[in-house]
C-alpha cells in the first residue's frame, strides 16, 4: 500500500519515488513487474498526473524502472545490477579510504567532487 503524507515537508513525487525505489531495492517488487499506470496511480492516491509522472521519470533516470511505451512501466533488471555495482564500488572505495587513514568526511568530499558534472 502506498501512502503519501500531504502534511510532510517531502514533496509527494519524492515520497512516491522513495517508496518504489525502496521496494525495488528490497526486492518486494520483482524485476519485470509492471507498475500501475501513471493515471491510475494518480487517481488512486489523489495526486496530479504530473506528480506521478515525475516520480516515474526519476525512477527511470536512476535505472530502476523502464517504460515500454503504451505497454507501461516495469521494474528494470539493469537498475538492480547497476545498484549492486555501485554498492560494491562504494565498499571498495571505503576500504581504500580507511586503509589510507582518510577521515570519513574527507572521503565523502572526494566523492562529492567526483560526482560533479564537468
Amino acid at each position: 500500500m502506498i501512502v503519501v503524507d500531504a502534511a510532510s515537508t517531502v514533496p509527494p513525487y519524492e515520497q512516491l519515488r522513495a517508496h518504489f525505489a525502496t521496494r525495488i531495492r528490497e526486492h518486494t517488487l520483482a524485476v519485470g513487474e509492471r507498475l500501475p499506470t501513471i493515471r491510475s496511480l494518480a487517481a488512486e492516491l489523489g495526486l496530479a498526473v504530473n506528480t506521478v509522472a515525475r516520480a516515474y521519470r526519476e525512477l527511470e533516470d536512476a535505472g530502476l524502472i523502464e517504460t515500454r511505451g503504451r505497454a507501461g512501466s516495469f521494474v528494470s533488471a539493469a537498475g538492480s545490477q547497476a545498484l549492486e555495482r555501485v554498492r560494491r564500488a562504494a565498499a571498495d572505495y571505503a576500504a581504500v579510504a580507511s586503509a589510507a587513514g582518510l577521515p570519513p568526511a574527507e572521503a565523502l568530499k572526494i566523492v562529492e567532487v567526483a560526482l560533479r558534472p564537468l
Side-chain angles (χ1 to χ4, degrees):
M1 177 176 198
I2 302 170
V3 178
V4 176
D5 181 3
S8 174
T9 59
V10 178
Y13 80 88
E14 177 57 23
Q15 292 179 51
L16 191 56
R17 186 211 59 78
H19 168 83
F20 281 116
T22 298
R23 290 195 57 207
I24 291 167
R25 287 185 184 113
E26 292 176 349
H27 304 290
T28 56
L29 278 176
V31 170
E33 190 167 340
R34 187 172 192 261
L35 299 182
T37 66
I38 290 172
R39 289 187 191 282
S40 69
L41 188 57
E44 178 184 328
L45 298 175
L47 297 172
V49 171
N50 286 340
T51 299
V52 177
R54 181 171 179 185
Y56 276 33
R57 209 171 27 254
E58 292 198 8
L59 290 164
E60 189 166 22
D61 289 347
L64 296 174
I65 68 170
E66 57 187 44
T67 301
R68 301 177 191 158
R70 291 194 169 270
S73 298
F74 299 82
V75 175
S76 170
S80 299
Q81 295 164 355
L83 286 174
E84 188 53 37
R85 281 195 319 268
V86 171
R87 281 190 199 104
R88 281 194 307 267
D92 292 344
Y93 174 71
V96 169
S98 179
L102 240 70
E106 186 64 29
L108 288 172
K109 284 181 188 174
I110 292 170
V111 171
E112 288 172 356
V113 168
L115 288 171
R116 288 186 191 143
L118 299 175

